[in-house]
Amino acid sequence: MMRKPLGGLCAAILLVGLAAQAGLAATEIQSTSGAPVRLVAVNAVEQPTGTALQVQASGPFRYASYQPRAQSVVVDLTGVVSERGAALPVASVSWLGGYRLLPFRNAGGEDVLRMDITLKHDCTVDISQTTADTLTLSCASAATPAEPVATPSE
């Protein structure tokens, strides 16, 4: 009969521990000054595999991504804020058709900045977080096709 009270106590301790851990994870994405993490820049950067899109924030953030359609990629930047629709112009990224920024709060109350990216052609976008405040998106298959070589006619 003593097992039920101990089981409930263990469950309560486990819940308190999980809640504390979740609170620590949420504080990890705030900047050291306590100010919200802001989108700083979206730039084209040259890499050996082609031109990539680099997203920089004022502090560390987490991200999640998915590709709902062949010519669309969605990247959620958790803990990042920006003005609604304030897409920064990016030139010279051959695979990028455009993007828009959609700020919202998720179910956990965290600020999320969604990048809704349109691709010029079908490609698989590789995403890597090179540093805690920088995300790089690239499309290895975006190399421009070589011009066909004209063959002399007889």
Side-chain angles (χ1 to χ4, degrees):
M1 290 202 176
M2 289 294 286
R3 290 185 185 188
K4 284 188 179 180
L6 289 178
L9 179 62
C10 289
I13 292 171
L14 179 63
L15 287 174
V16 169
L18 288 174
Q21 186 177 14
L24 289 176
T27 59
E28 289 175 356
I29 61 172
Q30 292 180 356
S31 66
T32 55
S33 67
V37 176
R38 297 204 173 275
L39 181 67
V40 174
V42 178
N43 298 311
V45 292
E46 289 299 321
Q47 294 187 330
T49 58
T51 306
L53 187 68
Q54 190 175 65
V55 179
Q56 294 177 313
S58 63
F61 63 89
R62 297 185 318 265
Y63 78 95
S65 66
Y66 61 97
Q67 193 162 0
R69 295 180 310 280
Q71 292 188 327
S72 177
V73 176
V74 174
V75 181
D76 287 341
L77 309 173
T78 304
V80 179
V81 295
S82 180
E83 296 301 318
R84 177 175 297 279
L88 305 170
V90 177
S92 72
V93 180
S94 63
W95 50 268
L96 180 66
Y99 72 96
R100 60 189 177 143
L101 302 174
L102 305 166
F104 66 95
R105 285 192 185 264
N106 65 15
E110 298 173 297
D111 289 316
V112 177
L113 182 61
R114 174 165 287 173
M115 291 185 71
D116 184 8
I117 301 167
T118 303
L119 307 173
K120 285 185 180 175
H121 56 80
D122 295 357
C123 86
T124 301
V125 176
D126 298 317
I127 302 173
S128 62
Q129 193 162 14
T130 51
T131 62
D133 62 353
T134 304
L135 196 67
T136 303
L137 296 85
S138 61
C139 179
S141 62
T144 53
E147 291 292 321
V149 177
T151 55
S153 59
E154 295 183 41

